[in-house]
Amino acid sequence: MQNKKEHFLSCIQNSLDMVVRFNTSLEHVCCNQAVEKHLGIQESFFRGKTFLGLLDYCCSEEQKQQLKRRHQLLKKCLQTGEEQSLLQKKFFPLPGRYLTTKIIPEKDQYGTIVSLLSVTHDMGGQKNQEEKLQQHFAKIGWGEYALKEDTPHCSQAFEAWFGLRTGALEGCFADFLKCVHDTDRQYFIDIHHAISSSKKDQPFACRHRLVKKEDSTCRIKQWARGCMDQNGNPEKIRGSAMDINSQKKVWQSLNKARQAYQTLTELSDDIIGQADRKGRWIFLNDQACTFWDQSRDALLGRSLFDYTHAQDRKKTQAALKEMMGKGRSVRGLKNRQKTPQGWKTVQWNGAAVYHQGTCTGFQFIGKDITQVEKDAKKLRFASLHDSLTGLYNRAYLEAEIGRLDTARQMPVSIIMADLNGLKLVNDSYGYQQGDQMIQKAARILKASCRKEDIVARWGGDEFIILLPQTPAREAAGICERIAAGCRDACIQKMPISIALGYSHKQSGKKALQEVLREAENLMYQHKLTERRSTKSAALKVLLKTVAEKSYENGSHIQGMQQIVQKIGKKLGLRDAQQYQLKLLATLHDVGKIKISEQILTKKGALSAQDWREVKKHPEIGYRIARAVDDFAMVAEEILAHHERWDGSGYPRALKGPDIPLLSRMIAIIDAYQVMRSGRPYKKPLSRNQIVKELRRCAGTQFDPALVKAFLTVL
């Protein structure tokens, strides 16, 4: 289609007729070269002007009337939509000429006039025709060669090709041969000999190059035949020739364009093909063969419907009919094509091919968008779903809240769910285990709901369930199923616990956002009610896990708590401090939950890397304690329970009284219990040995005053 359009524009531009295009405001838009040639005025002078706008440039009233008649003709064509004609004599500024003008409306595909085309033909007299004929013959080189006299004679056109004066070629045949290109000379001699020796009146044709005076070449096409005498023998050779340099250049240009098109077609990553009127492939590029994984011979002649999915054939057929009937191109047609790798989606752009007004076939460009479609589907899913759980995300839920807040969805219930202990799991076991806990909770929620219910992750550890056309009684039943699903569920032996709250909307008096707030408030009440039991269960799991990974078993902690009571009374601690010291004895090594069991149970000396890992457990224990409100009161003491009196401890190298009192106390109690109980790789010490070791470390590792007080209660 593009080639036809370019050809049409080229024909107009090179036409001998004067062609002018006007817009619907009757203003000049553009014109061809003939207008400028005949009128001697540049196109820019006319652009944007109407015929009435040229009246001031007229020299006579007659010229003004002629312009007005042309303006009226344009208006009539615009109003009626029909072609108009006009014959004028002595039209300004071409006096003495007869001119015929046709006004042709140009319409778009909907029949609306978009512009007007004015075509003016100069109907000059006989003199004009003779001039044209002379100009035509001037372009043709003709010649005659008398065989006996050996004298050639050529027209001026021949001489002009060589840039020579008139008569310069009037010599012998050998002189003429000097003007023939070296590589073509023998070929020309053979043709000349064939003509001169032939007894038949037979025409000959050949192509060869002539050399000009400045050593440039000219390519010509020559026709010749022998003229016989009365005895039937060749007497003269007469012929004509035409300069085909421009023709050769055109063919070279076309061939170059064809090669470029072929190269682009074969290098393209798109399927490029042409089908006949019945939809059978008559041309396909290499990419098409790669796409269908078949040879070109196997594909050509096959129908484009042979590989099209059955569900897509109807719309594909409709697209072909539209192209064939209305001459329109089709863009963005998608259908599925069968390949050895399975069904693939192809997006087609196509256009009908016409010859003399009849549709002869179709041209297509197809792009494999299978992966693009998959990526788009993933992108759509990601925009509406939570990446961790696969549940709907907050953006989708907020849109659904607005959609469901209508009377026909009543009653609507909302369940608010909050996952208990997530921060504790994150700090104790790491975020990977925390993510697994969220995923497990999401699966429980999804399994407890119906297919039409909307389960979404609201953010962090919170979830919301939208229940359209669901009364409060059914919402309560779903909450019971969620609670039942959590009973035996756990992550790293940590039980899954979800706080729930629900509310409902029976009529249109209350907004769903208000229902959501009510469900959230009830959920927090439930969370506060179960907080103590949830934290207690979590603490038991943590301590049990630490005991299983190390030598800090239940008897070790129980022994420490007995000593805590004695030394607390000795030092006169308040009840609150006594409680904190007892809690510290239970939790001081909770941070070891993230230390490798291989390091904690190693019987030999620890390496430098092992020690770096072990020294992390006070900070880990600090974060775990901070994550639980009931344990936060001893978080600082847990962090400092491996600090030393002389400042050589870890992790902050605190010194002397800067170390919290309870941390100093628990360090002595812990060391005493280890020495008293022993380890699998180390025997227990006697009372005297323990006393001696504590006194030795007083002032360096331990607070000397606390060591002295501790020894009095042993």
Side-chain angles (χ1 to χ4, degrees):
M1 292 295 291
Q2 182 66 25
N3 289 339
K4 294 179 71 175
K5 181 178 179 180
E6 292 175 356
H7 179 70
F8 175 73
L9 294 176
S10 176
C11 290
I12 289 178
Q13 188 64 26
N14 296 310
S15 174
L16 297 177
D17 294 333
M18 293 179 281
V19 182
V20 183
R21 177 173 278 116
F22 297 87
N23 59 24
T24 54
S25 298
L26 306 185
E27 296 171 340
H28 177 282
V29 176
C30 62
C31 66
N32 67 348
Q33 297 175 355
V35 175
E36 296 182 356
K37 178 181 177 181
H38 286 297
L39 302 185
I41 303 174
Q42 294 294 322
E43 179 193 4
S44 57
F45 171 78
F46 297 102
R47 191 176 299 129
K49 295 184 176 67
T50 65
F51 275 120
L52 297 182
L54 297 173
L55 294 178
D56 294 336
Y57 301 94
C58 295
C59 300
S60 66
E61 188 62 28
E62 182 182 3
Q63 292 175 355
K64 292 182 180 181
Q65 292 300 322
Q66 290 176 349
L67 289 178
K68 289 178 181 180
R69 281 199 296 273
R70 283 179 170 265
H71 184 78
Q72 292 299 322
L73 197 67
L74 289 174
K75 287 180 63 177
K76 186 176 180 181
C77 181
L78 187 63
Q79 292 169 356
T80 63
E82 296 176 354
E83 184 177 310
Q84 305 294 322
S85 299
L86 177 68
L87 175 64
Q88 286 183 309
K89 183 180 179 182
K90 297 182 180 180
F91 174 66
F92 149 79
L94 299 175
R97 302 287 184 90
Y98 282 90
L99 304 175
T100 60
T101 299
K102 286 188 178 181
I103 308 297
I104 304 169
E106 293 185 300
K107 302 178 182 180
D108 62 14
Q109 57 187 356
Y110 304 107
T112 303
I113 295 176
V114 295
S115 60
L116 301 175
L117 205 65
S118 171
V119 181
T120 301
H121 178 64
D122 181 8
M123 298 182 67
Q126 181 65 28
K127 188 176 187 330
N128 187 33
Q129 296 297 325
E130 289 177 355
E131 289 175 354
K132 289 183 179 180
L133 191 60
Q134 290 174 1
Q135 291 173 3
H136 175 71
F137 276 105
K139 295 179 181 178
I140 299 176
W142 59 268
E144 181 181 273
Y145 174 68
L147 293 175
K148 292 181 180 180
E149 291 81 7
D150 188 21
T151 55
H153 178 71
C154 301
S155 67
Q156 292 182 2
F158 249 118
E159 296 167 351
W161 289 339
F162 299 101
L164 302 177
R165 61 180 176 80
T166 302
L169 289 178
E170 295 182 358
C172 64
F173 181 71
D175 293 334
F176 182 79
L177 281 179
K178 294 177 183 178
C179 300
V180 179
H181 195 275
D182 293 345
T183 56
D184 298 337
R185 191 168 296 157
Q186 186 58 48
Y187 167 71
F188 184 81
I189 292 172
D190 293 340
I191 293 292
H192 180 269
H193 177 72
I195 299 174
S196 60
S197 61
S198 176
K199 296 289 187 178
K200 297 180 180 179
D201 187 10
Q202 180 180 353
F204 290 82
C206 64
R207 297 170 186 260
H208 61 86
R209 286 164 292 175
L210 296 179
V211 180
K212 295 184 179 182
K213 183 179 180 180
E214 61 274 14
D215 292 333
S216 62
T217 60
C218 173
R219 190 176 296 272
I220 69 170
K221 185 174 182 180
Q222 191 168 354
W223 298 267
R225 67 192 309 158
C227 297
M228 307 300 176
D229 60 13
Q230 58 184 1
N231 298 319
N233 297 315
E235 182 182 26
K236 295 179 180 180
I237 298 177
R238 289 175 178 172
S240 63
M242 179 173 287
D243 184 353
I244 59 171
N245 263 343
S246 58
Q247 186 184 52
K248 183 68 176 178
K249 290 178 181 179
V250 170
W251 280 109
Q252 288 176 343
S253 178
L254 288 174
N255 189 50
K256 186 176 180 181
R258 187 183 298 109
Q259 291 176 351
Y261 172 77
Q262 185 176 357
T263 301
L264 290 174
T265 299
E266 295 307 329
L267 291 177
S268 174
D269 291 332
D270 296 334
I271 301 168
I272 299 178
Q274 186 171 354
D276 63 17
R277 185 181 176 88
K278 294 182 179 181
R280 295 171 300 197
W281 292 116
I282 58 176
F283 168 77
L284 285 168
N285 68 342
D286 289 344
Q287 181 58 29
C289 302
T290 302
F291 176 78
W292 280 297
D293 196 17
Q294 294 193 44
S295 67
R296 186 177 278 103
D297 291 339
L299 290 170
L300 294 181
R302 299 291 296 269
S303 171
L304 57 88
F305 295 102
D306 288 350
Y307 302 101
T308 304
H309 196 284
Q311 296 176 357
D312 297 336
R313 290 175 186 170
K314 188 174 181 180
K315 67 177 180 181
T316 305
Q317 184 66 46
L320 294 183
K321 287 183 178 179
E322 182 178 358
M323 286 189 287
M324 187 184 299
K326 300 181 180 179
R328 298 177 183 173
S329 60
V330 171
R331 292 182 174 272
L333 172 66
K334 295 181 183 178
N335 59 31
R336 288 162 289 179
Q337 296 291 317
K338 188 176 182 180
T339 71
Q341 295 78 34
W343 291 101
K344 293 185 177 181
T345 304
V346 179
Q347 180 172 289
W348 300 94
N349 292 338
V353 178
Y354 282 85
H355 178 67
Q356 295 182 351
T358 302
C359 177
T360 59
F362 308 93
Q363 289 181 330
F364 292 100
I365 297 178
K367 181 180 289 294
D368 181 1
I369 60 169
T370 307
Q371 190 58 47
V372 174
E373 293 275 284
K374 289 180 179 178
D375 293 342
K377 187 176 181 180
K378 289 179 181 178
L379 187 61
R380 287 193 297 269
F381 183 89
S383 67
L384 300 175
H385 292 78
D386 173 58
S387 60
L388 179 62
T389 64
L391 300 178
Y392 288 114
N393 58 19
R394 183 166 185 160
Y396 178 83
L397 186 72
E398 289 176 340
E400 286 299 290
I401 288 176
R403 185 182 69 83
L404 294 176
D405 201 0
T406 59
R408 62 188 182 88
Q409 297 292 344
M410 299 299 122
V412 177
S413 295
I414 297 180
I415 298 175
M416 185 78 169
D418 185 276
L419 180 59
N420 294 320
L422 177 61
K423 191 173 189 309
L424 181 61
V425 171
N426 283 335
D427 292 331
S428 302
Y429 298 101
Y431 286 99
Q432 186 175 5
Q433 300 299 326
D435 288 345
Q436 291 181 11
M437 189 177 189
I438 293 172
Q439 291 169 337
K440 182 72 174 179
R443 288 194 293 271
I444 292 172
L445 294 174
K446 190 71 175 176
S448 303
C449 294
R450 304 161 301 183
K451 186 178 180 179
E452 63 270 19
D453 298 334
I454 300 170
V455 185
R457 186 181 179 196
W458 190 244
D461 54 4
E462 292 182 332
F463 302 86
I464 289 179
I465 304 172
L466 278 181
L467 307 170
Q469 300 179 0
T470 304
R473 174 175 49 81
E474 293 185 26
I478 293 174
C479 288
E480 291 175 1
R481 291 200 294 271
I482 294 172
C486 292
R487 266 182 214 117
D488 299 323
C490 61
I491 292 292
Q492 290 286 349
K493 299 182 180 180
M494 186 76 72
I496 302 290
S497 173
I498 301 177
L500 299 165
Y502 69 91
S503 184
H504 75 287
K505 175 180 179 179
Q506 191 67 35
S507 63
K509 297 179 181 179
K510 184 166 52 174
L512 275 183
Q513 290 290 348
E514 186 178 347
V515 177
L516 178 61
R517 285 192 293 271
E518 291 175 356
E520 186 177 22
N521 293 334
L522 290 171
M523 180 272 293
Y524 280 122
Q525 291 179 21
H526 182 206
K527 192 177 185 73
L528 291 173
T529 302
E530 294 190 346
R531 184 178 66 176
R532 188 168 297 277
S533 61
T534 301
K535 303 300 183 186
S536 177
L539 178 59
K540 288 179 181 179
V541 171
L542 290 175
L543 295 178
K544 184 179 180 182
T545 303
V546 172
E548 290 173 351
K549 293 176 65 174
S550 66
Y551 304 117
E552 308 293 334
N553 52 32
S555 60
H556 176 82
I557 295 175
Q558 188 177 3
M560 288 182 65
Q561 289 179 343
Q562 291 174 357
I563 301 172
V564 162
Q565 292 178 343
K566 293 179 182 180
I567 196 170
K569 290 180 180 179
K570 177 67 178 178
L571 295 177
L573 296 180
R574 300 188 304 273
D575 290 343
Q577 289 178 307
Q578 188 76 13
Y579 173 76
Q580 285 180 269
L581 186 59
K582 185 177 180 180
L583 184 60
L584 182 60
T586 303
L587 296 175
H588 69 285
D589 275 337
V590 71
K592 288 183 178 179
I593 195 169
K594 292 186 72 173
I595 307 301
S596 167
E597 183 176 349
Q598 183 181 1
I599 295 176
L600 294 177
T601 58
K602 194 172 185 179
K603 294 183 178 181
L606 297 179
S607 65
Q609 179 62 32
D610 293 340
W611 269 114
R612 281 194 290 271
E613 290 298 315
V614 169
K615 288 181 178 181
K616 293 178 182 178
H617 83 272
E619 297 176 77
I620 297 170
Y622 169 79
R623 291 197 298 271
I624 293 173
R626 292 272 302 200
V628 183
D629 294 339
D630 294 342
F631 305 157
M633 65 180 71
V634 294
E636 288 291 339
E637 285 74 11
I638 292 174
L639 181 63
H641 80 279
H642 274 290
E643 301 288 356
R644 294 170 62 99
W645 183 259
D646 61 1
S648 62
Y650 61 88
R652 295 182 290 176
L654 299 179
K655 185 176 181 180
D658 291 338
I659 305 170
L661 173 62
L662 298 185
S663 299
R664 286 179 268 154
M665 294 175 66
I666 209 68
I668 298 171
I669 296 170
D670 187 27
Y672 168 78
Q673 188 63 24
V674 170
M675 290 186 287
R676 180 172 174 268
S677 303
R679 289 287 186 265
Y681 56 86
K682 191 174 184 180
K683 294 180 180 181
L685 300 181
S686 65
R687 184 181 184 281
N688 290 336
Q689 289 175 315
I690 293 173
V691 171
K692 184 178 179 181
E693 183 67 18
L694 289 175
R695 285 175 176 168
R696 185 182 69 82
C697 295
T700 54
Q701 182 176 355
F702 305 124
D703 182 343
L706 290 179
V707 170
K708 185 176 180 180
F710 180 79
L711 293 177
T712 62
V713 300
L714 286 181

